[in-house]
Amino acid sequence: MRKRLRWVAAAGIVLALAGCSANNSGGESAAQPRPADGRQAAPNQGPSNKESTDSAGKAGTDKAPVPAGLPGSTDRKLVRTASVELTAPNVADVISQVRVVTQGAAGYTGQESTQEKRATVTVVVPSERLDGVLDQLGKLGKQVRREVTATDVTEQLVDVESRLATQRASVERIRALLARATSVSEIASVESELTSREAELESLQKRRERLAGSVAMSTISLQVKAETVVAEEESRSGFFGGLTNGWDAFLTFGGGLLTVLGAMVPFLLVFGVPAAALVWWLRKRRRPAAPAMATASELPSAPPLD
């Protein structure tokens, strides 16, 4: 009897333990819902995936991808030019200092026109030193005007580089055909085509060199005026300035007219005086004929015959 009670108690304990384990597994399954395909989702993956998706979306929004084949904003190719106007007491001294500044920046001066009170000069310097050179030139006198322009030639350079690569490949193909040509007519035809394509290749290379040179070197157009010229230009503004300008224009016109008359005097003396003398002699020769005709007309007529 006691053995039976022991077996019944053991069976009850086993059944109780089995019910507890079933309840625990059911709770865990309810806490973690299964998807439609029956697979259990991996624990603690939801927040991480969401964070990675949000960070990827933000990254894509902050920085847009650069199209293939085009340089980024830091690799743009710009052609920069500048124009500066200065006033100074001595124009010649400023031009001398401009040459010194240009040589110090590893540049050179181009076209130059220097007068007593005005001067213009073209300065070419490396593009990376343009701003520094402009600051130095502005200190040589009183800076009246300063303009800087930039032209983007990135797309042009990319296009030229692409066409160069295509043209080089084309030339190589023609050279391969020339190596395989056997007859004279084939050789002549292939050589003519090769010459044409090599000429186009050289043209593209020169264009690329010009663009690269324009990007590497910047041009500055510098104009210098004497301070007295600026004062005169300011004094000629307004009513009295217009009156002065009009009087100067009248004197200029009168001087031009007198110059023309003076140039005509030698011709008048050489051709005009003999012509006037000839006209006077011809008129004098015709005068006696008129009184003779008048005398003949004034004679009395004969009486009529009976």
Side-chain angles (χ1 to χ4, degrees):
M1 188 68 182
R2 291 181 179 178
K3 291 183 178 180
R4 290 180 180 179
L5 292 175
R6 290 177 182 176
W7 284 109
V8 171
I13 293 172
V14 170
L15 291 175
L17 292 174
C20 292
S21 60
N23 291 333
N24 291 335
S25 61
E28 291 177 358
S29 300
Q32 297 180 0
R34 296 176 181 272
D37 56 356
R39 296 178 182 178
Q40 185 176 355
N44 300 329
Q45 294 296 326
S48 300
N49 292 335
K50 185 176 180 181
E51 291 178 0
S52 60
T53 305
D54 294 343
S55 60
K58 292 180 180 179
T61 312
D62 295 339
K63 185 177 181 181
V66 179
L70 291 179
S73 59
T74 58
D75 299 331
R76 308 303 293 182
K77 306 299 181 182
L78 303 177
V79 178
R80 302 182 66 196
T81 58
S83 177
V84 180
E85 183 177 348
L86 303 177
T87 60
N90 194 326
V91 175
D93 291 344
V94 173
I95 297 300
S96 299
Q97 296 176 16
V98 168
R99 296 193 188 98
V100 174
V101 171
T102 304
Q103 293 176 0
Y108 59 91
T109 57
Q111 185 177 1
E112 179 181 338
S113 175
T114 304
Q115 301 177 1
E116 182 180 358
K117 296 182 179 181
R118 298 175 183 269
T120 56
V121 61
T122 302
V123 178
V124 182
V125 296
S127 298
E128 63 271 11
R129 300 186 179 182
L130 175 63
D131 296 330
V133 172
L134 290 175
D135 294 338
Q136 294 181 16
L137 294 178
K139 298 177 182 179
L140 299 180
K142 182 180 178 181
Q143 183 171 280
V144 178
R145 180 175 58 88
R146 171 176 170 174
E147 296 179 0
V148 180
T149 60
T151 304
D152 192 350
V153 295
T154 308
E155 284 75 11
Q156 298 181 29
L157 280 171
V158 171
D159 178 65
V160 170
E161 290 292 346
S162 177
R163 294 174 61 184
L164 272 173
T166 304
Q167 195 66 21
R168 289 194 187 99
S170 177
V171 170
E172 292 300 327
R173 288 194 299 268
I174 296 298
R175 288 176 179 173
L177 290 175
L178 181 61
R180 292 195 301 267
T182 56
S183 63
V184 177
S185 60
E186 290 180 356
I187 293 174
S189 176
V190 174
E191 283 183 347
S192 176
E193 185 65 22
L194 179 61
T195 303
S196 175
R197 298 196 182 190
E198 285 179 344
E200 186 175 355
L201 178 61
E202 292 178 0
S203 176
L204 289 173
Q205 289 175 347
K206 291 180 180 179
R207 183 181 177 187
R208 182 189 62 179
E209 292 174 358
R210 287 195 299 268
L211 288 173
S214 300
V215 172
M217 304 296 289
S218 297
T219 303
I220 304 173
S221 298
L222 178 64
Q223 182 179 4
V224 185
K225 293 182 180 180
E227 294 178 352
T228 55
V229 174
V230 178
E232 291 177 359
E233 292 177 352
E234 293 178 354
S235 64
R236 289 179 177 271
S237 60
F239 173 77
F240 293 102
L243 182 62
T244 303
N245 293 332
W247 179 251
D248 292 340
F250 175 76
L251 292 179
T252 302
F253 173 76
L257 181 61
L258 292 177
T259 301
V260 172
L261 293 176
M264 293 176 61
V265 167
F267 295 94
L268 294 175
L269 293 176
V270 174
F271 299 104
V273 173
L278 179 60
V279 171
W280 176 80
W281 180 74
L282 291 174
R283 293 182 64 182
K284 184 177 180 181
R285 186 178 179 181
R286 292 177 181 178
R287 284 177 183 176
M293 294 177 62
T295 304
S297 61
E298 291 176 359
L299 292 175
S301 58
L305 298 176
D306 296 337

